[in-house]
């Protein structure tokens, strides 16, 4: 069963609320896609020919410029950038596309987005859950996932912590892949990219960073992201993806080029999320909940020290739908994840129900 199907009875309960549901379960953007990005998409709509898997040079340069400007990746190389059709497909397909299979192990955070585990299984490899702050036995490990800011709990790893993982992985010839889709949404801490010199040591060998426009630019419906880092690995992926036809559509490439070149719309959207976060955090704490981690990302990781499904039911009785923590691993069994991705009006309604 797909995990989210288990939430359906609670969704039905929440939707029966006389004033409507407040859905804080899924982190899907609800605010408008910025106009300058929509304009770029429309202007490129006449696209009769096949786009390239590698992406247009101006797109890859825009991405490299963003890496330099916003993330401090001073040595970002446009040749080592590859656009992808939304990052979930890459997360799910990466072990297979890099030739991993039976006998190989893919390590990932123990409390995490489930697709890291799924991607390993789709390749026939073995997923290995690793508790934050620890490192696995390297025997058989071919790839290790990092996720900072983390989904579901919003914790941020320090540069020193990430550097330690990178040094360990290089000593054992293990590829480090860092999922950084929330990196511009820091609140109490600022995340650092695995490609930053303080982490990479000035070399991208054995490193990949995965980035998405879904959250920062409200482009989830466009399916737009990229992977960058070790040039040799990017070229290997490029060759495989040419054969498999994983191509970002030309109009979406044009929209991505504009999105990565503009910072103003990101600041506007971040301010929206900040206001919703403050309102929900205050209301949750006033209702007796504790917020753990949540230094960044689009979620509040909250608990009142009970089974997460009991908490889900409590929210559903008030017409609020939240995600149970055990969707993300057994370590989440006493937490729920609350998304900031609801309209101001729906967030305000949820706040009132929590305070009443």
């Amino acid at each position: 069963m797909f995990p989210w199907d288990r939430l359906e009875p609670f969704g039905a309960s929440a939707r029966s609320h006389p004033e409507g549901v407040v859905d804080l379960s899924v982190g899907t953007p609800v605010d408008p896609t910025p106009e300058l990005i929509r304009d770029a998409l429309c202007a490129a709509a006449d696209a009769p020919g096949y786009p390239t898997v590698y992406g247009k040079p101006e797109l890859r340069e825009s991405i490299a410029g963003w890496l330099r400007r916003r993330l401090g990746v001073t040595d970002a190389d446009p040749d080592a950038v590859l656009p992808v059709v939304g990052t979930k497909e890459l997360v799910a397909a990466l072990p297979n596309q890099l030739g991993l299979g039976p006998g190989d192990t893919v390590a990932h955070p123990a409390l995490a987005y489930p697709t890291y585990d799924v991607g390993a299984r789709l390749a026939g490899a073995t997923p290995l859950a690793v508790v934050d702050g620890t490192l696995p036995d390297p025997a058989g490990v071919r790839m290790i996932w990092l996720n900072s800011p983390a989904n579901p709990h919003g914790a941020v790893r320090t540069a020193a912590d990430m550097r330690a993982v990178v040094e360990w992985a290089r000593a054992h010839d293990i590829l480090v892949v860092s999922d950084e889709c929330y990196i511009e949404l820091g609140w109490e801490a600022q995340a650092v990219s695995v490609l930053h010199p303080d982490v990479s040591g000035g070399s991208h060998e054995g490193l990949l960073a995965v980035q998405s426009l879904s959250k920062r630019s409200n482009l989830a419906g466009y399916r737009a992201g990229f992977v960058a880092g070790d040039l040799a690995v990017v070229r290997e992926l490029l060759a495989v993806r040419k054969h498999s036809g994983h191509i970002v559509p030309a109009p979406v490439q044009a929209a991505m080029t504009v999105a990565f070149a503009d910072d103003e719309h990101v600041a506007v959207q971040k301010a929206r999320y900040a206001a919703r976060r403050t309102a929900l955090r205050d209301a949750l704490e006033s209702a007796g909940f504790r917020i753990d981690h949540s230094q960044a990302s689009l979620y509040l990781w909250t608990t009142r020290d009970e089974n997460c499904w009991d908490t889900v039911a409590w929210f559903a009785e008030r017409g609020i739908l939240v995600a149970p923590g055990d969707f993300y691993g057994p370590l989440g069994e006493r937490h729920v994840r609350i998304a900031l991705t609801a309209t101001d009006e729906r967030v305000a309604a949820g706040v009132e129900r929590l305070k009443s």
Side-chain angles (χ1 to χ4, degrees):
M1 176 185 286
F2 186 59
W4 288 94
D5 292 343
R6 295 168 56 201
L7 196 58
E8 180 50 38
F10 300 93
S13 175
R15 286 189 291 272
S16 70
H17 191 280
E19 296 177 7
V21 66
V22 176
D23 191 346
L24 306 177
S25 63
V26 182
T28 185
V30 298
D31 300 301
T33 300
E35 186 175 1
L36 81 165
I37 299 174
R38 285 182 279 142
D39 288 347
L41 182 83
C42 292
D46 184 12
Y50 290 111
T52 65
V53 175
Y54 202 9
K56 290 187 175 182
E58 54 265 37
L59 168 58
R60 290 184 284 108
E61 182 52 57
S62 180
I63 291 170
W66 174 79
L67 286 167
R68 300 182 200 114
R69 184 179 73 253
R70 298 289 288 179
L71 304 189
V73 183
T74 53
D75 50 354
D77 178 2
D79 289 344
V81 169
L82 181 62
V84 298
V85 191
T87 52
K88 183 170 185 176
E89 68 88 355
L90 181 80
V91 173
L94 188 62
N96 181 63
Q97 291 182 352
L98 290 179
L100 275 64
D104 297 325
T105 296
V106 177
H108 61 82
L111 192 56
Y113 183 53
T115 311
Y116 307 134
D117 178 287
V118 170
R121 295 177 189 276
L122 289 173
T126 302
L128 176 64
V130 180
V131 176
D132 285 350
T134 68
L135 290 168
D137 181 338
V141 178
R142 295 277 307 280
M143 177 187 299
I144 184 167
W145 281 100
L146 301 179
N147 180 211
S148 176
N151 179 11
H153 52 71
V156 173
R157 302 185 78 142
T158 66
D161 175 47
M162 293 180 69
R163 177 71 178 264
V165 176
V166 167
E167 291 174 348
W168 168 84
R170 284 174 170 164
H172 298 288
D173 195 26
I174 296 168
L175 180 69
V176 178
V177 189
S178 181
D179 182 353
E180 301 173 358
C181 68
Y182 301 100
I183 200 163
E184 290 195 277
L185 295 168
W187 313 113
E188 297 158 5
Q190 179 55 55
V192 61
S193 174
V194 75
L195 303 181
H196 191 285
D198 289 350
V199 177
S200 70
S203 168
H204 295 171
E205 182 181 357
L207 308 178
L208 292 177
V210 179
Q211 302 279 359
S212 170
L213 283 168
S214 294
K215 314 300 185 183
R216 74 180 288 277
S217 299
N218 297 333
L219 253 66
Y222 285 44
R223 311 313 301 133
F226 73 87
V227 61
D230 187 319
L231 180 59
V233 179
V234 169
R235 284 176 171 165
E236 182 179 352
L237 282 172
L238 174 61
V240 171
R241 291 168 72 86
K242 283 180 177 179
H243 285 291
S244 62
H246 283 79
I247 310 173
V248 177
V252 175
Q253 291 192 30
M256 291 174 68
T257 303
V258 170
F260 278 116
D262 182 74
D263 301 329
E264 183 177 352
H265 77 276
V266 182
V268 170
Q269 186 59 45
K270 186 175 180 180
R272 291 188 184 116
Y273 286 136
R276 293 167 187 164
R277 179 180 184 272
T278 297
L280 284 167
R281 182 170 194 140
D282 289 349
L284 288 163
E285 290 177 338
S286 70
F289 288 88
R290 185 181 75 245
I291 309 297
D292 290 333
H293 307 305
S294 306
Q295 297 103 329
S297 83
L298 288 181
Y299 311 106
L300 291 170
W301 187 241
T302 188
T303 183
R304 57 179 190 179
D305 294 314
E306 64 183 3
N307 182 277
C308 61
W309 288 97
D310 291 337
T311 309
V312 169
W314 184 91
F315 277 99
E317 289 171 1
R318 289 152 181 82
I320 303 171
L321 191 60
V322 301
D326 67 2
F327 275 8
Y328 307 95
L331 293 180
E333 65 183 1
R334 298 182 74 80
H335 285 77
V336 297
R337 192 194 74 172
I338 294 180
L340 309 179
T341 50
T343 64
D344 292 343
E345 183 273 331
R346 288 287 82 192
V347 168
V351 166
E352 287 303 310
R353 295 176 196 180
L354 288 170
K355 288 184 174 180
S356 62

